[in-house]
Amino acid sequence: MLTPMLASLLPLFLLFRISFCQYSSDQCSWKGSGLTHEGHTRDVEQVYLRCSQGSLEWLYPTGAIIVNLRPNMVSPAAARLSVCIKPSAESSGTNIYLDRNGKLRLLLPEQDQAQGKVHCFGIQEGALFIEAVPHMDISRRITAFQYELVSDRHKAGPHLLVASCQPCSDTEVLLAVCTSDFVARGSIRKVDQEEEHSSVTVEISRLYRQKTQVFVSGGVRVRSWTGCIKMPLQCGVRSGEGEFLFTGAVRFGEAWMGCAPRYKDFLRLYHEAQQQGTNPCHVDTN
């Protein structure tokens, strides 16, 4: 059932539906201007973005646009994807809804966009219906956000649909080593409690993989790296002795912790799976 606010918006939504302008893009990002709507504000522009990540920037928003976010390859696994969007600190001028078969659900009101918080939803929940909020002066209004498509196995961070603080199972640890954005062996140097998350400073002795430069080298002659990994605040992470195997996902340029077993426990688990022939991938543990 629609809330009174959404019910009041429905006639306006249907009005916008009178005319559609199609815009299909094989690129990862879209930039448009609401000034092109001048004189025909009933148009709703359809935008198609087919990438795992990208951005949108809508200058001087008027009328409405519908943004369809899809992976660039057709796969049964696509139905299990989640979409995460992170508005810029200057984003304003619109309300962002989820549109599923003509039914609207408010996802991100204009006043919340400047907070820059990540919002996620299942890809099956619909497209983004971005509607301009009437203002006397639209010259200062720009709606902008980054987006990422996230698979179930890469869910990490407090903003995503699942952010469990429970230890990973043996199977999850082995899969994390093969599929995570970063995999590294190291120790925890300190833990800082911030407003919405914990920031774990780590020192890495062996770097197996990193999708982006999460960990920074200590120098040409020093085979060590340092970096920060974020964790949900409710997990209550603390500094600990010994070495760990850090795995996780990179979300909007930030590293979020996934599975992080003690390294000795990982070695035992890995060698047992190796003997049984059940390892999903090879890791050089020498």
Side-chain angles (χ1 to χ4, degrees), residues 73-144:
M73 295 182 64
V74 178
S75 167
R80 299 190 296 273
L81 290 173
S82 298
V83 179
C84 293
I85 64 172
K86 182 179 182 180
S88 72
E90 294 77 29
S91 186
S92 65
T94 64
N95 290 321
I96 302 177
Y97 300 87
L98 281 176
D99 170 15
R100 186 174 185 179
N101 299 324
K103 295 182 178 179
L104 296 180
R105 177 167 68 86
L106 184 62
L107 178 69
L108 191 55
E110 179 186 24
Q111 63 269 22
D112 292 349
Q113 293 177 30
Q115 298 175 13
K117 293 184 178 181
V118 177
H119 294 260
C120 300
F121 56 93
I123 199 168
Q124 297 296 314
E125 293 184 57
L128 293 175
F129 182 84
I130 306 178
E131 179 190 37
V133 176
H135 289 283
M136 293 297 294
D137 180 11
I138 65 171
S139 64
R140 300 178 182 272
R141 311 292 173 179
I142 298 176
T143 295

Side-chain angles (χ1 to χ4, degrees), residues 30 37 44-45 47 56 58 63-67 128-131:
W30 180 85
H37 281 148
V44 176
E45 189 167 356
V47 176
L56 178 141
W58 191 19
I65 60 174
I66 295 178
V67 182
L128 293 175
F129 182 84
I130 306 178
E131 179 190 37

